[in-house]
Amino acid sequence: MQKIQMKTPLVEMDGDEMTRVLWKWIKDILLTPYIDLKTEYYDLGLKHRDETDDRVTVEAAEATKKYGVAVKCATITPNAARVEEYNLKQMWKSPNGTIRAILDGTVFRAPIVVKGITPFIPSWKKPITIARHAYGDVYKNVELPVPAGAKAELVVTDKDGKETRREIHAFDGAGVVQGQHNLDDSIASFAHACFDYALSTKQDLWFATKDTISKIYDHRFKDIFQEIFDKEYQDRFAAAGIEYFYTLIDDAVARVVRSEGGFIWACKNYDGDVMSDMVATAFGSLAMMTSVLVSPKGYYEYEAAHGTVQRHYYKYLNGETTSTNSVATLFAWTGALRKRGELDGLPDLMDFAQKLEDATRETIEYGVMTGDLYALSTLLTKRKVDSETFLQEIAKRLEKKL
Ligand code: NAP
Ligand code: MG
């Protein structure tokens, strides 16, 4: 068989620990035998981030702006233990945070649904996609400890030097204070990304905040969404037979739990962080979740939603066999390849991505799966395999399709 050709390289961001091991196996077993894989490689492994004073992360994000499509492996966000373990120069920031701050945009996360893995919520029949705003709020906060007797104020100085002040609190006892911000432009691009995604996938869009309590901050989100919807999307939504609907976050949670699924749930940054883990777990596992960052300028970064699976990595280093689920990492690759194919007009590449995803689902539905899914699956034929065998089993089914 002739290998499938690519035109533009993918920005490849390698990562850490077990997912770095899976990364190489996915390429060796499922990609390079069939595709003339073109990538521009950035090593975001913690050691190399430390060696480059984290410049490599910025360069990888800049390359994503140049080429448009990136695929990222899970990476360690260092804490004190990691600083010691890797003898780091400093506690480098989260690479995901750095990349999101450069690209802006919205993260869409959707469960990968397979037969035999039933959601914990019996009414859920279709996937629920979480759209998470990836800029600002508590992720760009400024916070301080406050000593007893101090007064905290919010001060905004306009460009002519005029000050607007609000007292936050006069502290009798010690406490804490936090400042957050967001930008109209970023909220607007979040809204556009959500409306466009709803249209392209023909699903209803729900959006929720706490605007009854946060009458200026959260209300701004609600207003911007509504203005953009009324002006630019109302007719197209009607033509597509889909709905946009706003409600309070606590009402949304109740409705989501009672729903059938099959819609997009747009969330502010923090809500999206928490709710995507809740939705992923309720559907089965974080390892069965796709995740893509869509920037307002049309850049795409595909990743897995889970971490570097440290516990499995130490087993692997000890020479023990592991049974780590590579589906989310594999779907990051297929998502990126499909998008590259779409942008470059390469139907063969898009077709390959689809067949690889189908082969993956069929492997699990046939009963061949990793330990995490084995614990959940209701299939009578289920069989637990190790990390590498799982990929080889997918390759067997992929071969038949090509
Ligand atoms: P994790 O890597 O997501 O793993 C937590 C546990 O979830 C694992 O120990 C494992 O459970 C299970 N699990 C997660 N992914 C799995 C998979 N693909 N297959 C099978 N089981 C899976 O979280 P963590 O261990 O708390 O974090 C490790 C590192 O990941 C941290 O340094 C953190 O900074 C980083 N992280 C990176 C990202 C990212 O880059 N996107 C996101 C989150 C965390 P069992 O041990 O019970 O088998
Ligand atoms: Mg999280």
Side-chain angles (χ1 to χ4, degrees):
M1 193 193 103
Q2 230 198 343
K3 286 194 189 184
I4 297 164
Q5 296 297 308
M6 292 177 64
K7 277 186 196 153
T8 317
L10 283 175
V11 178
E12 175 183 354
M13 307 182 190
D14 207 346
D16 288 301
E17 301 196 311
M18 200 60 214
T19 40
R20 187 180 179 102
V21 176
L22 297 177
W23 194 260
K24 181 167 188 307
W25 287 346
I26 288 171
K27 285 170 64 180
D28 290 349
I29 299 170
L30 291 168
L31 301 179
T32 50
Y34 312 104
I35 306 174
D36 199 6
L37 194 66
K38 265 195 189 151
T39 74
E40 193 166 292
Y41 180 84
Y42 291 86
D43 182 0
L44 266 55
L46 186 51
K47 186 165 167 284
H48 192 239
R49 273 183 276 150
D50 195 51
E51 283 163 5
T52 61
D53 295 327
D54 209 21
R55 272 193 310 277
V56 65
T57 308
V58 176
E59 284 164 8
E62 293 299 336
T64 306
K65 287 184 170 177
K66 177 173 167 197
Y67 293 112
V69 186
V71 55
K72 181 182 170 290
C73 181
T75 46
I76 293 169
T77 298
N79 53 16
R82 299 297 199 166
V83 171
E84 202 173 311
E85 181 185 355
Y86 284 82
N87 192 19
L88 300 178
K89 293 181 205 160
Q90 65 177 76
M91 203 185 291
W92 304 107
K93 286 192 189 153
S94 151
N96 293 323
T98 303
I99 294 165
R100 281 173 203 159
I102 293 173
L103 299 180
D104 195 359
T106 304
V107 178
F108 292 91
R109 287 193 169 166
I112 300 159
V113 177
V114 290
K115 272 193 228 91
I117 312 286
T118 36
F120 285 95
I121 300 193
S123 62
W124 287 1
K125 305 270 182 291
K126 294 177 233 163
I128 294 169
T129 302
I130 298 272
R132 171 182 171 190
H133 187 208
Y135 179 84
D137 303 348
V138 72
Y139 300 86
K140 279 226 169 255
N141 71 355
V142 180
E143 41 183 29
L144 286 171
V146 182
K151 183 172 81 170
E153 288 179 289
L154 197 58
V155 183
V156 174
T157 313
D158 74 14
K159 62 181 192 311
D160 303 319
K162 193 171 124 321
E163 285 184 354
T164 309
R165 284 174 180 268
R166 292 281 179 280
E167 178 174 310
I168 298 171
H169 193 67
F171 288 76
D172 292 333
V176 282
V177 68
Q178 179 182 74
Q180 296 187 22
H181 80 278
N182 222 300
L183 305 170
D184 286 0
D185 275 354
S186 179
I187 300 167
S189 58
F190 172 39
H192 279 290
C194 292
F195 292 132
D196 288 337
Y197 199 82
L199 282 171
S200 75
T201 59
K202 291 227 183 328
Q203 296 182 90
D204 289 347
L205 176 68
W206 300 12
F207 181 42
T209 71
K210 193 72 181 174
D211 68 295
T212 46
I213 299 297
S214 173
K215 291 184 195 310
I216 293 179
Y217 197 107
D218 278 17
H219 208 88
R220 186 65 144 207
F221 279 78
K222 178 184 177 180
D223 283 348
I224 290 176
F225 264 70
Q226 197 62 51
E227 279 161 27
I228 292 176
F229 180 72
D230 291 347
K231 214 188 310 172
E232 298 179 45
Y233 290 94
Q234 205 162 24
D235 297 344
R236 281 191 277 162
F237 267 52
I242 58 173
E243 263 184 23
Y244 167 62
F245 128 88
Y246 176 87
T247 187
L248 280 172
I249 184 81
D250 29 0
D251 178 52
V253 169
R255 285 172 186 264
V256 165
V257 168
R258 289 195 304 259
S259 77
E260 271 199 358
F263 55 89
I264 300 157
W265 181 11
C267 291
K268 287 178 61 202
N269 209 348
Y270 173 82
D271 297 339
D273 188 354
V274 178
M275 292 307 166
S276 65
D277 278 25
M278 190 275 284
V279 168
T281 307
F283 267 105
S285 139
L286 261 192
M288 295 296 284
M289 190 94 173
T290 63
S291 180
V292 56
L293 175 73
V294 181
S295 94
K297 300 249 168 64
Y299 315 128
Y300 295 81
E301 185 227 331
Y302 293 83
E303 54 160 20
H306 58 79
T308 58
V309 214
Q310 183 182 20
R311 202 180 64 82
H312 295 212
Y313 181 59
Y314 288 121
K315 277 177 73 178
Y316 166 82
L317 288 182
N318 267 333
E320 294 170 47
T321 48
T322 60
S323 187
T324 317
N325 189 337
S326 47
V327 172
T329 305
L330 179 53
F331 274 56
W333 275 100
T334 53
L337 290 168
R338 180 187 288 110
K339 181 52 78 178
R340 203 59 273 170
E342 193 186 307
L343 295 174
D344 290 347
L346 301 171
D348 285 356
L349 194 60
M350 294 170 72
D351 185 54
F352 174 82
Q354 189 58 45
K355 285 179 172 153
L356 183 46
E357 288 180 2
D358 292 344
T360 305
R361 276 196 215 91
E362 281 166 27
T363 302
I364 300 167
E365 291 179 351
Y366 183 78
V368 178
M369 59 193 82
T370 47
D372 57 320
L373 297 183
Y374 183 82
L376 297 172
S377 176
T378 55
L379 294 181
L380 297 172
T381 55
K382 66 182 175 179
R383 175 159 69 90
K384 176 179 160 181
V385 295
D386 64 78
S387 312
E388 221 176 340
T389 305
F390 179 63
L391 294 170
Q392 278 150 359
E393 287 282 331
I394 297 172
K396 277 203 307 211
R397 290 169 178 83
L398 175 66
E399 291 269 347
K400 291 197 192 120
K401 294 177 184 293
L402 293 173

